[in-house]
Amino acid sequence: VQLVESGGGLVQPGGSLRLSCAGSGFTFGSYHMIWARQAPGKGREWVSSISTSGSTYYADFVKGRFTISKDTAKNTLYLQMNSLKPEDTAVYYCAADLSPQALSSYRNWGQGTQVTVSS
């Protein structure tokens, strides 16, 4: 299993970014996928999940601002982030496993992509 995130960068407060996570080496549609993030000096936290059937779930702090989606034909997971706030600054990771797990139990992680929200 290989996961590669992209799309991070520097954006002003209120701006938008779209993260991508390209998967390979596994049957993408059969895996439960998540986005998590880790801010400087803090632990990794769950942001959003999408099930094999396409059901989506969000942490309260991103609900209404972020949208998770996937394109199974392209083996790619997305995170559309709107109305970004400085507190969204973090390294964003995607992860995959055959079923929903506690965050620390996900076996497959990407290398992360930095998102910085600052004026």
Side-chain angles (χ1 to χ4, degrees):
V1 175
Q2 185 174 14
L3 299 167
V4 179
E5 300 96 335
S6 62
L10 174 64
V11 62
Q12 292 186 341
S16 298
L17 280 176
R18 188 195 198 199
L19 305 183
S20 299
C21 170
S24 61
F26 64 105
T27 305
F28 191 85
S30 297
Y31 277 64
H32 188 88
M33 307 289 294
I34 71 166
W35 287 99
R37 70 186 187 185
Q38 187 164 14
K42 296 187 177 181
R44 194 169 295 188
E45 62 182 356
W46 171 76
V47 172
S48 182
S49 300
I50 186 164
S51 71
T52 54
S53 65
S55 297
T56 58
Y57 308 89
Y58 299 93
D60 286 345
F61 53 80
V62 302
K63 202 170 290 184
R65 300 189 297 125
F66 291 10
T67 302
I68 190 172
S69 63
K70 63 181 178 179
D71 185 331
T72 302
K74 294 183 178 179
N75 285 1
T76 303
L77 176 73
Y78 302 100
L79 186 68
Q80 177 67 43
M81 306 187 296
N82 299 329
S83 302
L84 283 161
K85 305 175 181 179
E87 51 264 44
D88 294 318
T89 296
V91 178
Y92 283 72
Y93 300 89
C94 63
D97 218 312
L98 287 169
S99 61
Q101 307 284 337
L103 190 61
S104 60
S105 297
Y106 275 84
R107 292 175 290 175
N108 308 294
W109 290 87
Q111 83 290 349
T113 186
Q114 176 70 48
V115 172
T116 302
V117 185
S118 175
S119 55

